Amino acid sequence: MEPTKSELEILQVLWEHGPSTVRFVNDKLNEEKRAVQYSSTLKLMQIMAEKGIVMRDESSMKHIYSPAEPEDKTKSALLERFVDSMYKGSASSLVMQLFGNKNTSAEELSEIRDFLKNLD
Amino acid sequence: MEPTKSELEILQVLWEHGPSTVRFVNDKLNEEKRAVQYSSTLKLMQIMAEKGIVMRDESSMKHIYSPAEPEDKTKSALLERFVDSMYKGSASSLVMQLFGNKNTSAEELSEIRDFLKNLD
DNA sequence: TCAAAGGTAGGAAAAATTTCGTACGAAAAA
DNA sequence: TTTTTCGTACGAAATTTTTCCTACCTTTGA
């Protein structure tokens, strides 16, 4: 299913730090993003569990949440939807926009060139 | 400001077809996307005008709406926000994901290689 | 002229998303 | 044991976004 904006923030914490408690996620959000109440984060993560976006291990009192799908799979899906809706599915259009209007570091560029070279 | 999902759909019609009436945009949405009432599209476009996302020419009875910002500028901003939030700002990560997990056509690939070659 | 068609405006309702207060149970500390 | 701390659950409220009803005006065609 479709993660909402707030759900995505939570997923990102789980991706970065692995399976976590609500407390941990909430702390990270407050450190890295914005003020948010514990109960709000809890509620959101409960909803995500209902939707099947995350799995919940209830064996101990402190429930442990983890992403239901691998990070790559979710990100790919989101990226693909982004390309489809914004660039009519043209990956090259996206790349050109990405490097046309932005100043990307030389390292990044050569990294990409190498990557593309080895793609065949 | 931030276009919402529905607002983005409208912007895309305006980008593709140029300045348009509400009627025209609504028809396109119904053709290309989904069933939506004229008054819903009207309302949304009025809100977008208030927010400054689109400009409105009221000189004739049929108001003409056009994007307030150039397509590239808006798309770049959205893309940048996407990269920042999903790939911590790393354009190369995005590109690798884009081509790693997806089967991109050979044409697209060479197009991009050429593009990157001429970037310096 | 006058009805029909097509336009805008505005408000209210509906739906989706986000936030948080409160209750209550378990664990830990005093 | 008793109190405090820390956890979940639940429901309701607030906010944001989306949808559409209705009123009313202008243009067009019969």
Side-chain angles (χ1 to χ4, degrees), chain A residues 1-110:
Chain A
M1 200 178 291
E2 291 285 291
T4 67
K5 221 169 239 183
S6 304
E7 289 173 346
L8 203 51
E9 285 182 344
I10 289 173
L11 275 181
Q12 280 161 350
V13 174
L14 296 180
W15 286 334
E16 182 158 8
H17 298 95
S20 310
T21 62
V22 175
R23 173 68 58 196
F24 180 85
V25 172
N26 186 247
D27 286 351
K28 286 295 166 198
L29 290 181
N30 278 280
E31 284 167 25
E32 299 170 2
K33 301 269 180 177
R34 66 211 158 75
V36 58
Q37 222 58 33
Y38 174 86
S39 55
S40 306
T41 303
L42 169 65
K43 183 62 166 188
L44 222 30
M45 291 177 75
Q46 287 173 337
I47 291 173
M48 291 169 78
E50 277 176 27
K51 288 194 192 172
I53 295 179
V54 296
M55 300 277 104
R56 176 169 53 189
D57 173 358
E58 307 182 3
S59 61
S60 104
M61 183 193 162
K62 305 185 183 184
H63 297 176
I64 306 291
Y65 290 77
S66 47
E69 302 279 0
E71 174 174 0
D72 274 5
K73 185 173 173 190
T74 302
K75 282 192 176 178
S76 287
L78 291 174
L79 177 53
E80 190 172 333
R81 224 152 10 82
F82 189 82
V83 177
D84 284 349
S85 90
M86 294 283 290
Y87 299 96
K88 298 183 192 169
S90 161
S92 48
S93 299
L94 182 147
V95 172
M96 291 177 196
Q97 177 122 77
L98 196 52
F99 298 114
N101 299 19
K102 235 186 118 187
N103 36 6
T104 313
S105 74
E107 304 137 64
E108 286 225 87
L109 274 180
S110 67

Side-chain angles (χ1 to χ4, degrees), chain B residues 33-92:
Chain B
K33 300 270 181 175
R34 66 209 160 76
V36 58
Q37 223 58 34
Y38 174 86
S39 54
S40 305
T41 304
L42 169 63
K43 184 62 166 187
L44 222 30
M45 293 177 73
Q46 286 172 337
I47 291 172
M48 292 169 77
E50 276 177 27
K51 288 193 193 172
I53 294 178
V54 296
M55 299 277 105
R56 177 168 54 189
D57 173 356
E58 307 181 1
S59 61
S60 103
M61 183 193 163
K62 306 184 181 183
H63 297 176
I64 307 291
Y65 290 78
S66 46
E69 301 279 358
E71 175 174 1
D72 273 5
K73 184 172 175 191
T74 301
K75 282 191 175 179
S76 287
L78 291 173
L79 177 53
E80 191 172 333
R81 221 142 18 78
F82 189 82
V83 178
D84 283 350
S85 91
M86 295 283 289
Y87 300 96
K88 298 182 191 169
S90 160
S92 49

